[in-house]
């Protein structure tokens, strides 16, 4: 009874939307019928009319029926025309169906539309894009690859151009001028990554308005929304450049040891499984025998002999019982001692590999403490307490301790990453090697991810494993996640063939609901039940037989694989069976689309990754409908149900016949790692042979349950990553707003002086604290403040002329004098040049400090997870420390702008003239009988740590050019104390180093770490 109630409620909101939309659809069709009597010129004039009415106050919702009718009628008038699409002539035969009008309405209202493959999503998108482009703002469509962006922009561009709108397209490698022209169009097509990278270049790299290409983020439609907003969202977009630290990690030096370790583990596991098999054949299934299988499972889970043994139902059941017992807290000591018999332990689910004591001894037999990090704080304390060492001796001892710590931590990290590379990352599965480079294979699409690298040294470890050149580590210049980029848009919508299973994620992250649009004609696809085999070998043999049978009767077959390796194995098997076939190379999108589009010819056999050819229709050849249509065979269930649904959706478009069937083996990663083992063991007990296929409702439930587990895990990962990125995103918005202000401002010096004023106010607050009585300034703090101002600005402050009783007025007066000094430069360098100079100072300071901040935030993100062991929430820890880091960055930004305003000039001649004029002005304003200015004495005294000398007569001068100082070797995370002009600061050395090298600070002492 309850199930009937739930079924009656399911899809209720979809039906409600469809009923409401039908009223609009009827109105659109009625208007379109009227428009058929108009001339082409009259129809085209509708665009200008709608634009004017919108400017006069009519909303886009009010204009929707007329706009949609205009687009539909425009498509009708193009019918029969031959149009050029990517160099191929194509006949236009498209007019919007009612379901496409419904999809257009949904996308205009911000829904993610689920429309079946072949329902015309490309044409549907023209409706909301045209309507929203009437506003005069740039509207965008983001898709998955360059070929689809170009194809759709050229194809649908004929319709836009006919109606009087312009359409642009972004392609990888375009120059900025062409990109700006594409964004200048009413409608712009491009890949999601191109839009994201343009955002980063505009806001994090451009230094002039002319360098920025994007317009407002108004309205965007995401094509293949699930692929872009969910699958690709796990990888952030990063613009990087060469790192300042030109030092290679010792991967190649450590590689021989890891190779020896991997071989030793392989030999050990082979011996264990062989011994276990002999015992089992002799009828021994004791705990001692099964424990050997347990060790093989922990040390080499993909061992072929072990996987063959797991096909025996009795052994599998006995092993699962033993594994369950070992996971009990009562047996954790025994489990630990068992694992210590291995060299390392592999965790496939978490993608981790950990050394045991046996493995550590193999790598460093003579160094028992090789994998123990030195206690650096304790070592520093012992060095400080050593009375026999002088200051230089202590410094050298600390340097040696720091080097020892860095070497040990670096070596441990490299060993960990090399171990993962050898044990968990397989060639032709997770990556391929092309042209001497390691290329990551997208686990969801099977496509190569050019330019992408695994983080934290893992990519370099894989490069070392494969013997290719190890690329230098890079530094992040700008980064953003796709989630946070697309949340910039005022209105976001999408379209895809599979969205309903991820409806909760779309709503929670993007505030977009899913709307399922019905098909134009009833779906004729037959989804045959999955068949499950014991082994992968038996599964592939069954697939070949199925392909051969379909090929003989002339039915086209599309075989979907989950990896490059699987497609190559099937290709070799088909060659042995003398079956002609095509193997899709996913590197070239245009070739990919062409191959997939031909997959519907009679008798055609195409092997492709599960997501290949997405966005391309497979049209059936002559006589194929009578033979059952396209037959889609899946050789493995994917981690996500969406990918399986996408593969099924390759057939049976627009009412065509078709069928789909999945072949699964118990050796597939999904079944090994995530399927419920209990039901599988019970079903295996009833099987008789390897070649026998299993088909059972419990198996279907087990497979779907495994997919749900992974989907939930991946969603948790994406959500957690977004929570961390939201912290950085808030900081990014502040920095980009400040940076864009400097770029677009007619007077960027105002931004610089705002920062100067903030810095002076902050420093004045340290001179007169709220606790002190009015006008009671701390003498030492006042002297430090005066020295700091005189060192940074040529204003010649004197203590006797300053009234600290009113810090607000004093701050304004100091800023006024700084402004006057800066404005004097206009006559020497020109007003426009001075504006460019101020802009340069602000942008350069922001860029340098923001890039350093991104590096620090990456390190914080990696390290903060360890705090969960101390019962602390890593996210809260990250938020609190990120706030402190950002405060420090803003303080350094203000200080750097103060330093740069009078230390930068457009040319040396202008700098010298400015210096002479300021010196002359200062002399005229006040008598002087000394050759050396008070400011110069103050700067010199401050650097020497002495009180600022007083003089009756002063002439301010610009500070001297910063001198690069020799700095002793100090650990990056060691806390140091630095001083300049009487001001002292305490900070980590990695933050102090640029101040010591470039800004005249000097090292006072090394504080406690």
């Amino acid at each position: 009874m309850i199930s009937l109630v739930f079924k009656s409620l399911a899809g209720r909101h979809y039906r409600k939307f469809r009923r409401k939309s039908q009223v609009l659809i009827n109105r659109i069709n009625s208007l379109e019928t009227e428009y058929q009597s108009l001339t082409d010129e009259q129809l085209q004039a509708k665009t200008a009319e709608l634009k004017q009415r919108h400017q006069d106050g009519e909303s886009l919702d009010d204009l929707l029926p007329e706009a949609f009718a205009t687009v539909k009628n425009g498509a009708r008038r193009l019918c029969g025309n031959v149009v050029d699409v990517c160099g191929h002539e194509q006949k236009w035969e498209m007019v919007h169906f009612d379901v496409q009008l419904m999809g257009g309405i949904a996308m205009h209202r911000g829904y993610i539309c689920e429309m079946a493959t072949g329902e015309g999503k490309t044409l549907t998108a023209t409706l909301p894009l045209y309507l929203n482009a009437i506003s005069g703002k740039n509207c965008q469509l983001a898709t998955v690859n360059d070929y689809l962006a170009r194809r759709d922009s050229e194809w649908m561009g004929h319709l836009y151009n006919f109606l009087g709108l312009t359409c642009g397209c972004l392609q990888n490698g375009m120059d900025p001028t062409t990109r700006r022209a594409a964004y200048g169009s009413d409608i712009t097509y491009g890949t999601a990554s191109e839009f994201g990278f343009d955002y980063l270049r505009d806001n994090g790299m451009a230094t002039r308005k002319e360098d920025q290409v994007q317009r407002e983020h108004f309205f965007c439609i995401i094509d293949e929304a699930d692929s872009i907003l969910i699958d690709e969202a796990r990888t952030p977009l990063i613009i990087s450049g060469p790192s300042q630290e030109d030092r290679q990690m010792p991967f190649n030096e450590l590689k021989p040891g890891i190779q020896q370790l991997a071989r030793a583990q392989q030999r050990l596991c082979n011996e264990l499984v062989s011994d276990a098999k002999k015992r089992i054949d002799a009828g021994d299934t004791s705990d001692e025998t099964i424990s050997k299988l347990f060790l093989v499972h922990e040390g080499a889970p993909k061992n072929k002999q072990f996987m063959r043994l797991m096909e025996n139902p009795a052994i599998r059941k006995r092993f699962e019982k033993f594994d369950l017992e070992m996971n009990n807290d009562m047996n954790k000591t025994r489990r630990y001692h068992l694992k210590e018999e291995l060299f390392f332990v592999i965790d496939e689910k978490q993608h981790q590999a950990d050394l045991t004591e046996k493995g550590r001894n193999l790598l460093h037999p003579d160094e028992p403490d090789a994998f123990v990090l030195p206690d650096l704080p304790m070592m520093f304390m012992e060095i400080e307490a050593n009375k026999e060492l002088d200051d230089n001796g202590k410094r050298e001892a600390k340097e040696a301790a720091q080097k020892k710590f860095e070497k040990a931590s670096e070596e441990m990290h490299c060993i960990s990453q090399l171990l993962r590379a050898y044990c968990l990352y397989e060639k032709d599965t997770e990556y391929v090697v092309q042209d001497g480079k390691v290329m990551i294979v997208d686990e969801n699409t099977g496509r190569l991810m050019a330019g992408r690298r695994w983080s934290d040294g893992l990519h370099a470890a894989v490069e070392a494993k494969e013997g290719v050149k190890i690329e230098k580590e890079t530094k992040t210049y700008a980064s953003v996640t796709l989630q946070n980029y697309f949340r910039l848009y005022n209105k976001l919508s999408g379209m895809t063939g599979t969205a309903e299973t991820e409806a909760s994620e779309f709503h929670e992250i993007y505030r977009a609901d899913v709307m399922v649009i019905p098909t134009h004609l009833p779906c004729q696809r037959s989804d045959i039940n999955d068949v499950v085999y014991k082994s992968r070998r038996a599964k592939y043999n069954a697939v070949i037989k199925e392909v051969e049978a379909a090929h003989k009767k002339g039915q086209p077959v599309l075989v979907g694989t989950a990896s490059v390796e699987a497609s190559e194995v099937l290709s070799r098997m088909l060659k042995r069976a003398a079956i002609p076939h095509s193997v899709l190379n996913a590197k070239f999108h245009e070739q990919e689309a062409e191959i997939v589009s031909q997959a519907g010819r009679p008798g055609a056999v195409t092997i492709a990754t599960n997501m290949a050819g997405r966005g391309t229709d497979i049209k059936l050849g002559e006589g194929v409908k009578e033979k059952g249509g396209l037959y889609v065979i899946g050789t493995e269930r994917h981690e996500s149900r969406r990918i399986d649904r996408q593969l099924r959706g390759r057939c049976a478009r627009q009412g065509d016949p078709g069928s789909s069937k999945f072949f699964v083996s118990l050796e597939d990663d999904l079944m090994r790692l995530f399927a419920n083992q209990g039901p599988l063991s019970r079903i295996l007990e009833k099987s008789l042979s390897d070649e026998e296929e299993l088909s059972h409702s419990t198996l279907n439930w087990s497979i779907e349950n495994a997919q749900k587990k992974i989907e939930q895990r991946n969603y948790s990962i994406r959500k957690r990553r977004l929570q961390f990125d939201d912290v950085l995103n808030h900081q990014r918005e502040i920095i980009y707003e400040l940076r864009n202000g400097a770029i677009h401002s007619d007077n960027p010096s105002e931004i610089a002086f705002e920062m100067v004023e903030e810095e002076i106010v902050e420093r004045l607050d340290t001179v007169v604290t709220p606790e002190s009585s009015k006008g009671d300034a701390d003498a030492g703090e006042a002297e430090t403040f005066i020295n700091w101002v005189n060192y940074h600005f040529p204003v010649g402050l004197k203590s006797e002329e300053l009234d600290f009783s009113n810090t607000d007025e004093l701050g304004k007066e100091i800023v006024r004098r700084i402004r006057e000094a800066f404005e004097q430069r206009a006559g020497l360098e020109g007003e426009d040049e001075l504006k460019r100079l101020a802009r340069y100072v602000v942008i350069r300071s922001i860029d340098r400090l923001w890039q350093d901040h991104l590096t620090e935030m990456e390190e914080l993100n990696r390290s903060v997870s360890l705090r969960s062991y101390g019962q602390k929430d890593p996210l809260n820890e990250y938020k609190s420390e990120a706030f402190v880091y950002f405060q420090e960055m803003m303080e350094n930004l203000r200080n750097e702008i103060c330093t740069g305003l009078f230390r930068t000039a457009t040319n040396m001649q202008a700098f010298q003239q400015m210096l002479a004029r300021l010196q002359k002005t200062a002399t005229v304003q006040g008598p002087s009988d000394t050759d050396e200015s008070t400011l110069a004495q103050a700067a010199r005294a401050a650097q020497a740590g002495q009180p600022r000398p007083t003089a009756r007569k002063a002439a301010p001068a610009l500070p001297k050019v910063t001198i690069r100082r020799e700095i002793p070797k100090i650990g990056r995370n060691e806390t140091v104390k630095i001083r300049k002009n009487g001001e002292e600061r305490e900070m980590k050395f990695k933050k102090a180093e640029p101040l010591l090298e470039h800004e005249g600070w000097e090292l006072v002492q090394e504080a406690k770490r």
Side-chain angles (χ1 to χ4, degrees):
M1 181 65 185
I2 296 176
S3 62
L4 292 175
V5 173
F6 282 129
K7 284 182 180 179
S8 67
L9 294 175
R12 185 181 175 192
H13 58 296
Y14 300 149
R15 293 192 294 272
K16 184 178 179 181
F17 174 81
R18 291 168 191 169
R19 284 196 304 270
K20 289 187 174 181
S21 298
Q22 193 59 49
V23 177
L24 272 176
I25 291 169
N26 294 338
R27 172 67 176 153
I28 293 166
N29 287 331
S30 175
L31 286 169
E32 197 272 331
T33 303
E34 294 177 16
Y35 291 171
Q36 290 178 23
S37 62
L38 300 177
T39 64
D40 287 354
E41 291 75 15
Q42 288 173 323
L43 181 69
Q44 291 163 350
K46 285 286 181 183
T47 301
E49 176 193 330
L50 293 171
K51 285 185 175 182
Q52 187 59 50
R53 286 167 58 186
H54 179 63
Q55 291 177 6
D56 293 341
E58 287 191 61
S59 69
L60 293 178
D61 288 339
D62 295 335
L63 299 173
L64 185 147
E66 294 168 74
F68 278 29
T70 302
V71 177
K72 181 175 180 178
N73 191 252
R76 188 182 301 280
R77 292 172 190 246
L78 288 178
C79 285
N81 290 357
V82 176
V83 297
D84 181 76
V85 180
C86 296
H88 300 287
E89 290 188 345
Q90 192 164 330
K91 192 174 181 180
W92 186 284
E93 298 176 328
M94 299 178 291
V95 181
H96 302 78
F97 299 129
D98 284 359
V99 291
Q100 291 172 312
L101 297 177
M102 185 182 297
I105 294 168
M107 281 191 274
H108 169 67
R109 293 180 177 173
Y111 284 99
I112 304 292
C113 290
E114 180 174 305
M115 299 178 69
T117 301
E119 289 298 305
K121 292 186 285 291
T122 304
L123 184 65
T124 303
T126 59
L127 298 163
L129 286 172
Y130 174 86
L131 172 61
N132 285 272
I134 285 172
S135 66
K137 298 177 181 177
N138 180 236
C139 298
Q140 299 164 3
L141 186 141
T143 188
V144 291
N145 61 56
D146 277 342
Y147 169 69
L148 289 180
R150 182 185 165 205
R151 185 202 70 180
D152 293 353
S153 65
E154 291 186 11
W155 197 7
M156 298 300 110
H158 293 287
L159 177 56
Y160 298 131
N161 294 335
F162 177 77
L163 295 173
L165 294 182
T166 55
C167 181
C169 176
L170 297 175
Q171 296 282 278
N172 185 32
M174 268 187 174
D175 61 88
T177 304
T178 312
R179 284 181 181 275
R180 196 177 304 108
Y183 282 109
S185 303
D186 296 304
I187 297 165
T188 307
Y189 284 72
T191 63
S193 58
E194 287 300 317
F195 286 119
F197 282 127
D198 282 341
Y199 167 75
L200 292 178
R201 283 187 284 261
D202 280 2
N203 292 275
M205 310 294 290
T207 56
R208 305 175 303 159
K209 285 188 285 187
E210 295 77 14
D211 296 332
Q212 295 182 316
V213 297
Q214 283 193 336
R215 292 164 63 189
E216 63 280 315
H217 295 94
F218 172 58
F219 175 61
C220 185
I221 296 176
I222 313 294
D223 188 17
E224 308 299 352
D226 60 321
S227 177
I228 291 173
L229 297 181
I230 293 178
D231 297 332
E232 293 187 20
R234 284 183 285 179
T235 306
L237 301 176
I238 298 173
I239 293 178
S240 58
S243 176
Q244 293 177 352
E245 296 182 6
D246 188 17
R247 184 172 57 87
Q248 289 285 357
M249 301 286 272
F251 287 110
N252 285 327
E253 291 82 353
L254 297 170
K255 176 182 173 180
I258 299 299
Q259 287 177 323
Q260 180 188 3
L261 188 74
R263 287 194 294 265
Q265 178 95 330
Q266 186 178 11
R267 285 195 301 269
L268 175 62
C269 289
N270 286 338
E271 291 170 4
L272 287 168
V273 74
S274 297
D275 188 23
K277 187 176 185 302
K278 289 177 184 177
R279 289 169 174 257
I280 290 168
D281 291 342
D284 180 5
T285 58
S286 63
D287 277 4
E288 184 179 353
T289 300
I290 302 303
S291 68
K292 295 178 183 293
L293 294 180
F294 174 78
L295 286 175
V296 177
H297 177 261
E298 295 294 311
K302 292 184 179 179
N303 183 285
K304 292 183 179 179
Q305 200 171 354
F306 168 77
M307 294 174 79
R308 289 297 304 274
L309 283 173
M310 287 299 100
E311 295 172 15
N312 184 313
I315 300 303
R316 188 184 185 97
K317 187 174 182 180
R318 182 73 180 85
F319 170 78
E320 288 171 1
K321 181 181 177 183
F322 184 85
D323 185 47
L324 190 64
E325 290 173 357
M326 288 299 100
N327 280 295
N328 193 308
D329 284 346
M330 301 283 291
N331 293 313
K332 63 181 180 181
T333 303
R334 184 184 177 192
R335 180 185 179 92
Y336 168 77
H337 288 297
L338 273 175
K339 287 184 176 182
E340 285 299 308
E341 296 180 26
L342 298 168
F343 292 96
F344 54 86
V345 178
I346 295 173
D347 184 347
E348 285 187 290
K349 288 185 181 180
Q350 302 299 326
H351 250 56
Q352 294 295 332
D354 295 320
L355 283 172
T356 62
E357 189 64 28
K358 188 175 180 179
R360 291 190 283 270
N361 290 334
L362 178 66
L363 289 175
H364 292 287
D366 302 324
E367 298 179 58
D369 294 333
F371 292 91
V372 178
L373 278 177
D375 188 346
L376 201 59
M378 182 60 70
M379 294 173 72
F380 280 7
M381 289 173 65
E382 291 174 356
I383 292 170
E384 285 293 335
N386 190 339
K387 305 292 186 181
E388 298 179 1
L389 295 175
D390 57 12
D391 289 344
N392 287 333
K394 288 180 180 180
R395 181 168 293 166
E396 290 174 1
K398 286 183 179 181
E399 181 180 342
Q402 179 74 24
K403 284 182 178 179
K404 182 180 179 182
F405 177 85
E406 289 178 355
K407 185 176 183 294
S409 60
E410 186 179 84
E411 188 171 306
M412 289 169 65
H413 175 72
C414 290
I415 288 173
S416 174
Q417 298 297 53
L418 277 169
L419 196 58
R420 292 178 67 198
Y422 272 89
C423 303
L424 292 162
Y425 287 79
E426 295 183 18
K427 185 179 178 181
D428 292 335
T429 302
E430 280 81 14
Y431 66 92
V432 297
V433 178
Q434 282 191 357
D435 302 325
K437 292 187 177 182
V438 172
M439 310 280 282
I440 300 174
V441 176
D442 190 318
E443 61 181 327
N444 294 298
T445 66
R447 297 189 177 101
L448 301 183
M449 303 170 71
R452 299 283 180 93
R453 291 178 64 84
W454 286 303
S455 61
D456 208 18
L458 175 60
H459 206 97
V462 175
E463 289 171 330
K465 169 191 170 184
E466 294 298 334
V468 301
K469 181 183 176 182
I470 298 178
E471 301 289 336
K472 291 183 179 180
E473 289 297 316
T474 57
K475 180 179 182 178
T476 299
Y477 289 170
S479 70
V480 69
T481 59
L482 284 175
Q483 290 115 315
N484 274 318
Y485 171 70
F486 283 114
R487 292 199 298 189
L488 292 171
Y489 286 86
N490 296 336
K491 186 161 60 175
L492 182 70
S493 61
M495 53 187 185
T496 179
T498 48
E500 194 173 16
T501 55
E502 311 296 337
S504 59
E505 183 167 353
F506 282 126
H507 176 77
E508 188 166 347
I509 293 180
Y510 301 100
R511 296 292 181 264
D513 293 322
V514 171
M515 182 55 59
V516 178
I517 306 299
T519 56
H520 175 58
L521 297 172
C523 181
Q524 301 296 323
R525 187 179 70 233
S526 172
D527 294 331
I528 305 169
N529 286 335
D530 295 3
V531 289
V532 182
Y533 292 84
K534 278 186 178 182
S535 67
R536 190 171 293 175
R537 181 186 62 259
K539 177 186 71 172
Y540 285 157
N541 288 334
V543 168
I544 298 301
K545 289 179 182 177
E546 196 83 4
V547 171
E548 190 172 16
H551 178 67
K552 282 181 179 178
K553 69 177 185 178
Q555 184 180 18
V557 182
L558 176 65
V559 183
T561 64
S563 68
V564 176
E565 180 190 29
S567 65
E568 291 178 348
V569 169
L570 283 169
S571 178
R572 289 195 295 269
M573 295 177 75
L574 286 172
K575 284 178 182 177
R576 286 199 295 268
I579 299 174
H581 61 281
S582 299
V583 179
L584 189 63
N585 185 339
K587 184 176 181 182
F588 304 104
H589 301 309
E590 189 166 352
Q591 180 185 347
E592 172 185 324
E594 187 177 346
I595 292 175
V596 171
S597 67
Q598 299 298 317
R601 293 173 301 169
V605 177
T606 307
I607 302 176
T609 55
N610 285 350
M611 296 279 283
R614 197 167 181 177
T616 305
D617 285 339
I618 299 177
K619 296 182 180 179
L620 301 183
E622 188 176 348
V624 170
K625 289 184 180 181
E626 292 74 20
K627 296 170 184 175
L630 181 65
Y631 185 19
V632 171
I633 294 177
T635 59
E636 187 174 335
R637 280 283 196 169
H638 198 272
E639 289 184 355
S640 171
R641 290 171 293 169
R642 289 182 295 102
I643 310 301
D644 293 341
R645 290 180 62 202
Q646 280 284 349
L647 183 60
R648 289 189 193 276
R650 307 307 306 163
C651 64
R653 61 178 294 280
Q654 287 291 330
D656 289 342
S659 55
S660 67
K661 186 177 182 179
F662 276 87
F663 290 73
V664 182
S665 85
L666 299 181
E667 293 180 355
D668 294 345
D669 290 344
L670 176 73
M671 304 299 288
R672 284 194 310 108
L673 301 176
F674 297 98
N676 192 317
Q677 301 300 328
L680 293 179
S681 297
R682 287 194 293 272
I683 293 169
L684 276 170
E685 289 175 358
K686 301 175 184 177
S687 65
L688 300 175
S689 68
D690 286 352
E691 302 302 321
E692 182 181 351
E693 67 179 41
L694 309 173
S695 182
H696 196 281
S697 59
T698 308
L699 275 175
N700 293 338
W701 172 85
S702 184
I703 292 170
E704 190 167 320
N705 191 51
Q707 289 177 311
K708 286 181 180 178
K709 284 181 186 176
I710 302 178
E711 287 172 1
Q712 290 167 359
R713 186 193 69 166
N714 289 341
Y715 172 50
S716 298
I717 292 171
R718 289 191 297 268
K719 184 178 178 181
R720 190 69 166 173
R721 186 167 293 164
L722 181 62
Q723 288 173 333
F724 275 84
D725 190 65
D726 280 342
V727 178
L728 185 60
N729 189 57
H730 181 60
Q731 298 177 357
R732 183 189 298 114
E733 288 174 353
I734 294 172
I735 290 297
Y736 284 177
E737 183 179 355
L738 185 62
R739 198 177 186 280
N740 278 320
I743 292 174
H744 292 274
S745 174
D746 292 332
N747 190 7
S749 59
E750 287 300 318
I751 296 175
F753 282 114
E754 284 178 13
M755 305 292 280
V756 170
E757 186 172 358
E758 288 178 16
E759 182 69 11
I760 287 174
V761 169
E762 287 281 339
R763 290 177 178 273
L764 278 173
D765 288 343
T766 64
V767 177
V768 181
T769 61
E771 292 78 15
S772 62
S773 59
K774 187 174 181 181
D776 184 16
D778 182 276
E781 293 291 344
E783 192 72 14
T784 299
F785 172 75
I786 294 170
N787 288 343
W788 179 86
V789 173
N790 286 336
Y791 185 79
H792 285 81
F793 310 107
V795 292
L797 291 186
K798 293 181 286 187
S799 57
E800 57 268 21
E801 67 182 15
L802 301 182
D803 180 10
F804 287 98
S805 62
N806 190 339
T807 54
D808 290 342
E809 291 300 321
L810 178 58
K812 291 177 182 177
E813 174 60 20
I814 294 172
V815 172
R816 185 190 64 78
R817 292 171 65 173
I818 295 171
R819 281 178 181 273
E820 288 180 354
F822 189 77
E823 287 166 1
Q824 288 182 33
R825 302 175 61 177
L828 299 172
E829 301 179 63
E831 189 173 341
D832 291 339
E833 290 295 325
L834 206 58
K835 287 179 180 179
R836 279 196 287 271
L837 187 67
R839 182 177 291 115
Y840 167 76
V841 169
V842 173
I843 292 175
R844 182 201 61 178
S845 302
I846 290 173
D847 288 350
R848 190 182 72 79
L849 292 168
W850 176 245
Q851 289 164 15
D852 290 344
H853 180 71
L854 287 176
T855 303
E856 289 184 348
M857 294 293 282
E858 286 175 4
E859 293 175 1
L860 176 63
N861 200 345
R862 283 196 292 266
S863 63
V864 78
S865 59
L866 299 175
R867 301 188 189 183
S868 58
Y869 293 110
Q871 305 302 311
K872 294 180 179 179
D873 181 8
L875 180 60
N876 289 335
E877 293 290 301
Y878 181 79
K879 286 180 178 178
S880 59
E881 292 216 17
F883 178 73
V884 174
Y885 282 15
F886 190 69
Q887 276 189 318
E888 290 180 0
M889 189 203 74
M890 293 304 292
E891 289 173 5
N892 291 334
L893 175 61
R894 293 197 301 267
N895 190 61
E896 188 157 316
I897 289 174
C898 291
T899 304
L901 271 179
F902 289 92
R903 280 181 166 81
T904 313
T906 54
N907 57 74
M908 182 57 69
Q909 183 181 1
F911 184 80
Q912 292 171 345
Q913 289 176 348
M914 173 188 64
L915 181 64
R917 177 175 289 190
L918 288 171
Q919 183 76 21
K920 181 179 179 181
T921 304
T923 305
V924 170
Q925 288 177 346
S928 174
D929 57 5
T930 178
D931 293 333
E932 185 176 31
S933 70
T934 307
L935 176 61
Q937 295 179 52
R940 184 163 44 77
Q943 291 196 9
Q946 300 298 323
R948 173 181 175 269
T950 58
R952 184 172 56 84
K953 301 160 187 177
L958 284 172
K960 298 177 181 178
V961 177
T962 305
I963 299 172
R964 183 182 176 91
R965 303 173 184 278
E966 291 296 324
I967 304 171
K969 175 67 177 177
I970 300 172
R972 281 175 53 76
N973 290 316
E974 185 178 346
T975 303
V976 298
K977 186 180 289 185
I978 60 175
R979 179 173 60 205
K980 185 172 78 172
N981 299 343
E983 177 191 0
E984 291 187 352
R985 292 187 186 181
E986 209 171 275
M987 61 182 68
K988 289 185 178 180
F989 181 68
K990 60 186 177 184
K991 294 184 179 180
E993 189 173 15
L995 301 178
L996 293 167
E997 289 185 346
H998 305 298
E999 305 200 9
W1001 292 76
E1002 63 177 2
L1003 186 66
V1004 179
Q1005 68 178 39
E1006 300 170 21
K1008 292 182 180 179
R1009 187 178 182 277

